[in-house]
């Protein structure tokens, strides 16, 4: 393989993963169909000023349901639940009285020079054209990043130092939205 072929392959590879190459805490796929199941891959691309990441906490929107986080070897998984004001009926006819409000991975050690993904699956609300935010706290051996800033109307994510990861809900195929 010649130099130009190698360079072209490296550029193509860098462009294939833009969400992690310039990101801090970012969902790998930032658009999904409203009302569907979604597999969230939260990428953590660096530590805190050189310090390794020890805890990742992801807060979930109140209308995201059926959350199932993926355990990670070497990390302890904690699921925090919040009682619902009104019970709802689940997809299998069961009564649901609480929801997952936060998922936390602790006890691992993600070095600053490495990146990793923290994965969970859940059902999205059926509200096309809305954006959901997933405030994420990254605690390091020394320091913390609070990826919790949600853009105000008329402002862009790039206006913020630590924007919350986001997911845009798309209309279902064939819908009038």
């Amino acid at each position: 393989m010649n130099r130009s072929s190698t360079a072209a392959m490296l550029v193509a590879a860098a462009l294939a993963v833009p969400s992690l190459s310039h990101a801090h805490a970012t969902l790998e796929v930032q658009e999904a169909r409203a009302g569907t199941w979604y597999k969230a891959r939260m990428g953590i691309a660096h530590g805190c000023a050189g310090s390794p990441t020890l805890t990742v906490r992801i807060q979930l929107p109140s209308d995201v349901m059926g959350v199932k986080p993926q355990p990670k070897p070497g990390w302890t998984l904690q699921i925090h639940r919040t009682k619902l004001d009104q019970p709802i009926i689940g997809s299998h006819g069961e009564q649901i009285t609480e929801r997952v409000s936060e998922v936390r991975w602790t006890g691992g050690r993600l070095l600053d020079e490495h990146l990793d993904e923290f994965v969970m699956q859940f059902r999205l609300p059926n509200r096309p054209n809305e954006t959901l935010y997933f405030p994420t706290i990254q605690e390091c051996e020394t320091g913390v990043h609070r990826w919790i800033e949600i853009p105000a109307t008329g402002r862009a994510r790039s206006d913020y130092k630590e924007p919350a990861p986001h997911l845009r809900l798309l209309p279902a195929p064939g819908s009038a939205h």
Side-chain angles (χ1 to χ4, degrees):
M1 187 179 311
N2 64 33
R3 278 188 174 178
S4 61
S5 297
T6 303
M9 285 178 42
L10 290 173
V11 169
L15 292 174
V17 288
S19 63
L20 287 180
S21 63
H22 295 97
H24 309 288
T26 307
L27 289 168
E28 179 181 36
V29 177
Q30 298 172 358
E31 292 183 331
R33 300 279 177 204
T36 63
W37 286 93
Y38 172 74
K39 187 173 188 177
R41 295 179 183 276
M42 184 69 69
I44 300 296
H46 62 71
C48 304
S51 179
T53 300
L54 304 179
T55 298
V56 174
R57 297 171 32 205
I58 302 172
Q59 298 170 3
L60 298 155
S62 61
D63 45 5
V64 164
M65 295 293 162
V67 178
K68 290 189 176 196
Q70 181 174 313
K72 292 183 70 57
W75 295 76
T76 299
L77 177 62
Q78 298 170 317
I79 300 170
H80 298 271
R81 293 176 172 81
T82 301
K83 190 163 184 67
L84 295 173
D85 292 335
Q86 295 289 322
I88 60 172
I89 303 301
S91 59
H92 299 291
E94 74 281 13
Q95 185 176 28
I96 299 172
T97 59
E98 60 185 16
R99 69 174 190 87
V100 174
S101 55
E102 183 178 273
V103 176
R104 183 181 300 186
W105 289 267
T106 61
R109 186 172 168 85
L110 177 58
L111 298 179
D112 181 59
E113 61 266 18
H114 297 156
L115 66 88
D116 206 348
E117 295 178 329
F118 297 81
V119 180
M120 62 188 130
Q121 180 176 317
F122 44 80
R123 184 150 184 104
L124 297 169
N126 193 11
R127 292 196 319 269
N129 303 314
E130 286 192 24
T131 299
L132 300 178
Y133 293 92
F134 298 82
T136 300
I137 309 290
Q138 175 187 2
E139 299 173 14
C140 298
E141 199 169 80
T142 302
V144 64
H145 283 295
R146 291 178 176 84
W147 309 107
I148 61 172
E149 298 171 315
I150 297 172
T153 303
R155 296 202 52 202
R157 286 177 41 82
S158 59
D159 293 338
Y160 296 88
K161 183 179 177 190
E162 294 185 331
H166 71 288
L167 176 68
R168 177 134 170 88
L169 299 179
L170 302 173
S175 70
H177 293 282

